[in-house]
Amino acid sequence: MPAPRTAFLDLSALAPAKTRPALIDADLARFTAIAEAIDAQLTTLTAQRRDALSDTARTGRAAADRDQEVRRINSRIRILRDVGPQICLGRMDRTGREPVYIGRIGLSDDADRRLLVDWRTPAARPFFAATVADPMGLAGRRRFRWRDGRVIDYWDEALIPDAGTDPATMDAESAFIASLAASRSPRMPDVLATIRADQDAAVRAEARRPLIVEGGPGTGKTVVALHRAAYLLHADPTLNNRGGGVLLIGPHPGYLAYTADVLPDLGEDGARTATLADLLPQGPDARPEPDTRVAALKLDARMAGAVEPAVALYEEPPTDTLTVDTPWGEVAVTATVWAEAFGSVGPGTSHNEARDRIWHDLIDILVDHAQSLDAPEDRLRRALYGDEELREAFSRAWPILNPEELVADLWEVPAYLRRCAPWLTPDEAALLRRGPAHPWTTADLPLLDAATRRLGDRRAGAAARRRQAVLAEQRSYMDDVVTHILDADDDPDSSLAMLRGADLRQVLLDTDALDDGTTDPLAGPFAHIIVDEAQELADAQWQMLIRRCPSLSFTIVGDRAQARDGFPESWEERLGRLGFHDMSRVTLSVNYRTPSEVMEAAEPVIHAALPDAAVPTSVRSSGLPVRHGRIAHLDRIVAEWLDENPEGIAAVIGAPGFDGGPRVRALSPADVKGLEFDLVVIVDPEHFGDGITGAVDRYVAMTRTTSQLVILR
């Protein structure tokens, strides 16, 4: 029995002309089939998950594969259960052929009839990219607007003449504009069905070379960043977790909270999201650098060059000879021996991880040089390993280093900093001086990151020893099992003789079971990194990301006019000096978020500081002029808006600590990037500062609203 029309239509919201059976019943039948297929898939997936979770016998790679399968099933269950028929975005109409319905994920019924085509597939591209100038084989296109599992509106676009589209549904632009004005919530609204052709081109651009996506406020840069992450993970198998994965960098924690639901609702939860501060354990507690001059020095790309000479001081071989007494005679550890051992590791090997290798090589060299002692090699080796004086001398010559202590020494010991960073002037070096109790700042993070990479894991030696012990135990056990099998096999032509091969036994070792779970998931290397609000990154911060993606497969999303510290160069100039080349670019020029009344007020604010700033063109008007008032009226203005608007989110910018209730957020100008609100109240904007930083903060704050802006002085 067909589902009632009210199961999928909100008849009170739709215009009566749009509820006629001839216009919508085919879609309702498809929604019914989608709901039935979802129920069937949920039953199947739940059983598959139960079976996978009950399979506890797997170890190593097999266990990892099982866990990966459980994550995939959970992701699929989540979107099917949470989104339901709302998974359907719209349909593509083709002359004389069945319409094709587009979904957040692909979906088929039990008869293998394709109900939905995944939005990320090439077959779905015309739904987003087709225009009247280039219909891409479509006669028309229908988009659905959902709320709480029901269609509250839909609109059609005719892409060729005589497409047969009913005039009652031909309100594409007005319906689209209405959707932009919908009330906001604490989470980013769903915009997949309304992605425009210019945004879609950026989402689907190939990932082999760096892509720059530039656009002013409200042009959909964040939309592109998030949807590109989901698209790339689906479209490019080399970017999955086994291939390195995708990392999306946002500007602040509020951005990550605001966008948290987007990727799962797009059918993709394989991307990692983080801020720059999340990349290091010191990051969450790091404070802003109070002195802009100090910040500029620390964020200079050259500062990472101080790490190598700083570490090299701890890698210099001793020049004095050490004599080790053994039961068979003296063994001399000469300067030549020290140098040979210290030179045994190749360039690029991290300091702490090289330590065990050098120690073992030192013992090997000494054993080789002591052949004249006529000592049993194994006993001589044990004697050298156990010599306390030799161990202490080695530990002094090649100590385990801590990145925090290394960087702290640079800031606290002037002679050390002068030696490692000779390009600094005496005045600059004095500016960087700090005491031992000084907390870490955000400007310290790039140097801490460089030191962490150069030093490596302090636990590497112990981990390697544990690994070798486990492998030795596995080999011993396998040898016993193989010996038992071969002893019981009396067939001279048996294929079991292969088990005698050392190579086969090595393959059978369960090396994946040795993972102790301590690997940093944000250490990389990643196959692709997407950076939103990228105009804010200094060169040293870019270096942090390049270390995590040496292939330079990046999507760089930003607006130079919104850079708080200014951005006088081109993207190509700034990124080129960091090693990027062969970059492509997409420019977004239409402001879908900010009403024209607000942009008319915001444009002169940014042009006063940056006359050449590219300000996007707004496509809609809210009908609400920018209001001005007094700071003393802040409480009343917010309270009146809350009473008049039962839905929506407000932001008060420039009044720290303001408490307007759960639908009002008090934020600083730096913490609103990437966010949007129905009401924005700016308190005392002149106190945001002078010059470019102050102008950018005022411009960014003004352009966060989707409806109304109030400025209080």
Side-chain angles (χ1 to χ4, degrees), residues 545-618:
L545 299 179
I546 291 170
R547 293 183 195 110
R548 288 161 174 79
C549 187
S551 67
L552 298 183
S553 178
F554 276 76
T555 299
I556 298 119
V557 181
D559 177 17
R560 291 180 300 139
Q562 294 184 63
R564 298 184 74 238
D565 294 327
F567 201 130
E569 314 152 285
S570 68
W571 283 106
E572 287 78 7
E573 288 170 334
R574 172 166 291 190
L575 297 172
R577 68 169 178 258
L578 293 164
F580 289 88
H581 57 85
D582 193 26
M583 291 168 270
S584 57
R585 178 196 289 265
V586 173
T587 300
L588 306 176
S589 58
V590 178
N591 186 336
Y592 299 106
R593 175 182 64 222
T594 316
S596 57
E597 295 89 345
V598 173
M599 288 308 298
E600 288 173 4
E603 183 172 351
V605 170
I606 194 63
H607 277 162
L610 299 170
D612 297 330
V615 176
T617 302
S618 293

Side-chain angles (χ1 to χ4, degrees), residues 253-274:
Y255 169 98
L256 299 186
Y258 179 62
T259 60
D261 291 339
V262 174
L263 287 171
D265 285 350
L266 293 174
E268 185 55 69
D269 59 1
R272 294 195 177 275
T273 59

Side-chain angles (χ1 to χ4, degrees), residues 192-318:
L192 177 56
T194 56
I195 285 179
R196 314 306 276 178
D198 57 345
Q199 297 167 339
D200 182 70
V203 168
R204 296 176 189 267
E206 57 94 11
R208 292 186 182 87
R209 57 180 181 162
L211 172 69
I212 299 166
V213 181
E214 184 167 28
T219 55
K221 299 186 300 298
T222 296
V223 168
V224 168
L226 293 162
H227 290 71
R228 181 157 170 78
Y231 171 77
L232 290 176
L233 283 166
H234 180 272
D236 191 340
T238 65
L239 299 182
N240 62 25
N241 287 330
R242 289 275 171 86
V246 171
L247 173 65
L248 189 148
I249 295 292
H252 50 76
Y255 169 98
L256 299 186
Y258 179 62
T259 60
D261 291 339
V262 174
L263 287 171
D265 285 350
L266 293 174
E268 185 55 69
D269 59 1
R272 294 195 177 275
T273 59
T275 66
L276 276 174
D278 294 329
L279 301 181
L280 287 172
Q282 303 86 356
D285 295 325
R287 305 175 183 181
E289 180 62 62
D291 191 324
T292 57
R293 298 170 301 167
V294 172
L297 290 172
K298 290 182 176 180
L299 295 176
D300 189 310
R302 292 176 296 174
M303 191 54 69
V307 170
E308 185 58 39
V311 176
L313 287 172
Y314 295 95
E315 296 182 346
E316 294 180 355

Side-chain angles (χ1 to χ4, degrees), residues 251-252 288-289 292 533-537 559-568 574 606 609-610 668-673 687-701:
H252 50 76
E289 180 62 62
T292 57
E533 302 295 348
Q535 74 278 352
E536 298 299 344
L537 270 62
D559 177 17
R560 291 180 300 139
Q562 294 184 63
R564 298 184 74 238
D565 294 327
F567 201 130
R574 172 166 291 190
I606 194 63
L610 299 170
S668 70
D671 289 333
V672 297
K673 287 193 171 180
H687 276 72
F688 289 0
D690 300 323
I692 291 177
T693 300
V696 167
D697 282 351
R698 286 185 283 274
Y699 178 61
V700 170

Side-chain angles (χ1 to χ4, degrees), residues 102 145-146 181 217 319 340 367 422 430 506 582:
I102 308 301
R145 187 177 172 201
W146 296 81
T319 56
E340 183 179 353
V367 169
Q506 183 67 28
D582 193 26

Side-chain angles (χ1 to χ4, degrees), residues 145 173-184 189 191 194 591-593 619-620 676 678 706-707:
R145 187 177 172 201
E173 284 308 307
S174 63
F176 170 64
I177 297 300
S179 71
L180 298 177
S183 295
R184 264 44 186 178
V191 296
T194 56
N591 186 336
Y592 299 106
R593 175 182 64 222
V619 297
R620 67 185 184 90
E676 54 188 30
D678 299 278
T706 64
S707 181

